[in-house]
Amino acid sequence: MTLWALAAMPWLGALLLALLPPRRVLAAAVAGAVALTGLALTLSLAPAVFEGQVPAWRIDWLPQLGMALGFRVDGLAWLLAFLITGIGALIVLYGAWYLSPKDPAPRFFTFLLLFMGAMLGVVLADNLLLLVLFWELTSLSSFLLIGYWHHRHDARQGARMALTLTGAGGLCLLAGVLLIGHIVGSMDLATVLGAREQLQAHPLFPVALVLVLLGAFTKSAQFPFHFWLPHAMAAPTPVSAYLHSATMVKAGVFLLARMYPLLGGNEWWFWIVSLTGLATLCVGAYVAMFQHDLKGLLAYSTISHLGLITLLFGLDEPLAVVAGVFHLVNHATFKASLFMSAGIIDHETGTRDLRKLAGLMKFMPVTATLGMVAAASMAGVPLLNGFLSKEMFFTEAVAKSGHGFMEWLLPVGATVAGIFSVAYSLRFIHDTFFNGEPKDLPKSPHEAPFFMLLPVGVLVVLCVVVGVAPGPVVGPLLAVAAQAALGAPLPDYHLAIWHGFNLPLLMSCIAVAGGVALYAYLHSHVKVHRLHKVPGWIAQGGKDVFQALLAGGVGLAGALTTRLESGSLQRYLLLLVLAALAAGAWPFLSDGPSVQAAAPHWKDLNPGVAAVGLIGIAATVATTVLHAQRLLALVLMGATGLVVCLCFVYFSAPDLALTQLLVEMVTIILMMLALHWLPAESPPESARWRRWRDALIALAVGLGVAALVWLVLTREGQSISDYYLATSLPLGGGANAVNVIIVDYRGFDTLGEITVLVIAALTMHALLRGMPALGQIPDPGAHPLMLQLISRLVLPFTFLISFYLYLRGHNLPGGGFVAGLVLAIGLLLQSVAHGQHWVAQRGGLLDHRAWAGWGLLIAALTGAAAWLFGAPFLTSTYDYPWLPVVGGVPLASAASFDLGVLLVVAGATLVMLLSIARLARRST
């Protein structure tokens, strides 16, 4: 229960914020309460996790597809959940004081809680498909947060870029997960993590590995996908502090840690992950030194440290994995505090430009002290937490052997990146808090309010405490998290400040001394403040390539659309028919039909049926020949529909016949409304060859469909129809197999179909609502009195017949679909006889859009009600309660679902027809 509540709490909080009045203090209080409650729930799970247990909660959703809704929390998941909720609570407090009174705070905190819920879902999911679902939700919610200031172009651009890159990576991850599930035979996380040998022995393992890594690399801004992160700095600073230090960018490295027991331990993993991490580490650190924006410097330093964590996992050594988990925690603490410090500086000075900022130590001493300690931790200064994980990194870089040039490239790359890290950390400290006096600041600098400084202070204290006493403070947490990441016993290691004089210590000394010298050189000789671009080839990053690919894709799509979308409905129909013809003919042309067709025979042909069929054929041919005369063609199409209706009657399908008849009536009304705005005759076809072309295509399609129907009707084997006929009553509680199929056996299909119907109706209503009248219909003075009288007399019978057809549908011909059409026709008759204005004045219950919405809701709730009884979605039941005098009454839960179908069909039909009719406004 605790685990379920932890996963659901942020979503419920976001829903509550959406329903509450838009008040700033109330929104912050709700968000803070949700974050603190989540933190408390996480802490309540600590005793079980630290004892080695894995608390779990799970319900099967689609077991046939391996889909379950469940959560589990091991040491690694607990660590991330602690960071998400703990830092999330600090960010809520910080954001409440950071946001301007003009900013819509409720919207901000709603988006923040949505993201928190998505991140918790990623780290707690016990099913790979569920993990991917929450993974994509993090991309969507981060899009909303990055684009929070949507009036700014850079915010919109950054949000789109982040969504494009991380969304594309999510699709790769989905493909990799599906491939892993196919190979292993399960999506359950515990099962998958235990199938390492089975997966890595499969020939498709490299493909699955690359797809999963693409998802991780794009999310954690690894080279060459790193460029989206600096552009995401257009978001408010609380967003940057939360998403881009402690949560979203950590999702990628969390995935590496989570999947390490499954995907690690091979050469593919080592070379791809380690080289990507090393490139990201060095590129991010190099570019960070030349950034003039405080958040830009922190963004590229984040990229570099994410590369460091990735490299540690890529080294494929147990101690390297421990170091990677340790630096994941350390980086979250010092980088979140640095981002919040940058936000305070921006908030109190009006700028983040390092070329203007200087000497803030005397104006903002508390902020400066906290920022300098956090920056020192980022640089790896002793007695701070960043130093400990950096030392572990240097140790692993030196210890790795057996891979040729990597034996010297890893130590050299680590040392160079360390030098760059010290240099950009010094620039953050010196150029912001010292270096003379500030220049042209938009605001007079002053210290921030206490509650903006408090979250920064909490994190900085953690940096110091962990750095001074790592064993007792973070040792147990690191042990349980690293063991979960390894999926194996922990190696021997010791968290301590001093490990003696060794090569990693020498590398640290070189990094500190080299970083100080490099920054001094850049400051005094290169004049870094005067640079307008980063020196070297990496100056352009990947943004230009991304924009070029995006522009090329848009251009290609535009050219293709222009080529295909000519505005001609005839052309669209031609392409559609040709595609269907090619798809249907391909199996016969390539391999021939898989079944042999029976020879045609005429001995059992009924002359009456043949005569009716010939009438239908004649009407169809006449429709084609006389298509230019639109009204006559419409009448002939109606005759064709009636012939089809009679065919259903002949084949003992009264349900289909009744439905076909009513659909024909509605279709005729719809087309009559459309014909009002069309010329009486179509323009003559200009080219004779087109008529011959269309005739040949039509003949080919007709013969192909006839051949396909013949093959189906004469094939050998038992039809599934026998199963439905035999089980509809004992299993579905209804003698009408057609209705039982619609509302029970294939209820999920029906739910999808009525959803599409509602969407189509509302789309038509939205498109036509704002259109001006296409013309004026002369007002004859009054509606025909006879039509008004007849329509009023018919209306009660329409309701009665509709209700009767609905009630009998489960056992006799009828049902919600037919009843809805009858009701729609009766109400449409009122609009024709009296006018829509007259109908609208006679009751608010005639809002047909509401009918469709309520019907869809009733159908969905009927399906969800099965969950209350531990049954799958849309499971139905039935009973025959005995009533005095009446006797046994057949009752099925599917009747509620059928009621939803009735309301949707009636409401959507009326919305569509009346939307078209509304175009003809009567003159007044």
Side-chain angles (χ1 to χ4, degrees), residues 456-670:
V456 186
V458 170
L459 293 174
V460 169
V461 168
L462 287 176
C463 292
V464 176
V465 171
V466 172
V468 173
V473 175
V474 78
L477 173 59
L478 177 60
V480 295
Q483 185 168 4
L486 283 168
L490 286 172
D492 292 330
Y493 68 94
H494 181 58
L495 293 179
I497 302 172
W498 177 253
H499 290 278
F501 294 99
N502 50 30
L503 186 55
L505 181 62
L506 176 62
M507 294 168 65
S508 292
C509 295
I510 294 174
V512 172
V516 172
L518 177 60
Y519 173 70
Y521 175 78
L522 292 175
H523 182 70
S524 59
H525 294 82
V526 177
K527 306 295 182 184
V528 68
H529 282 183
R530 300 179 183 177
L531 294 177
H532 296 289
K533 64 179 183 178
V534 181
W537 66 272
I538 203 63
Q540 302 302 320
K543 177 186 174 184
D544 291 344
V545 176
F546 171 79
Q547 290 182 334
L549 292 174
L550 188 62
V554 172
L556 178 62
L560 187 62
T561 302
T562 303
R563 180 71 176 171
L564 295 177
E565 194 171 316
S566 60
S568 171
L569 294 177
Q570 291 88 345
R571 181 182 178 87
Y572 301 157
L573 185 61
L574 174 65
L575 293 174
L576 178 63
V577 170
L578 286 175
L581 181 62
W586 175 253
F588 296 92
L589 297 177
S590 58
D591 301 324
S594 58
V595 296
Q596 295 296 324
H601 54 86
W602 310 97
K603 60 180 181 179
D604 296 328
L605 181 63
N606 188 311
V609 174
V612 173
L614 289 174
I615 292 173
I617 294 173
T620 304
V621 174
T623 301
T624 306
V625 175
L626 301 174
H627 72 277
Q629 303 177 44
R630 290 187 166 122
L631 182 58
L632 180 57
L634 182 59
V635 173
L636 292 169
M637 285 180 62
T640 306
L642 289 176
V643 169
V644 174
C645 180
L646 292 175
C647 290
F648 288 143
V649 173
Y650 176 76
F651 286 109
S652 301
D655 269 289
L656 298 180
L658 187 58
T659 304
Q660 174 71 24
L661 181 62
L662 292 171
V663 169
E664 282 295 325
M665 295 174 64
V666 173
T667 304
I668 292 296
I669 295 172
L670 176 64

Side-chain angles (χ1 to χ4, degrees), residues 781-818:
H783 293 278
L785 180 60
M786 184 62 68
L787 182 58
Q788 292 183 28
L789 291 174
I790 293 174
S791 66
R792 294 186 189 182
L793 290 173
V794 167
L795 184 60
F797 293 99
T798 302
F799 278 97
L800 185 61
I801 294 171
S802 176
F803 188 59
Y804 172 69
L805 290 172
Y806 161 69
L807 289 179
R808 77 197 297 262
H810 212 56
N811 290 284
L812 295 170
F817 190 87
V818 173

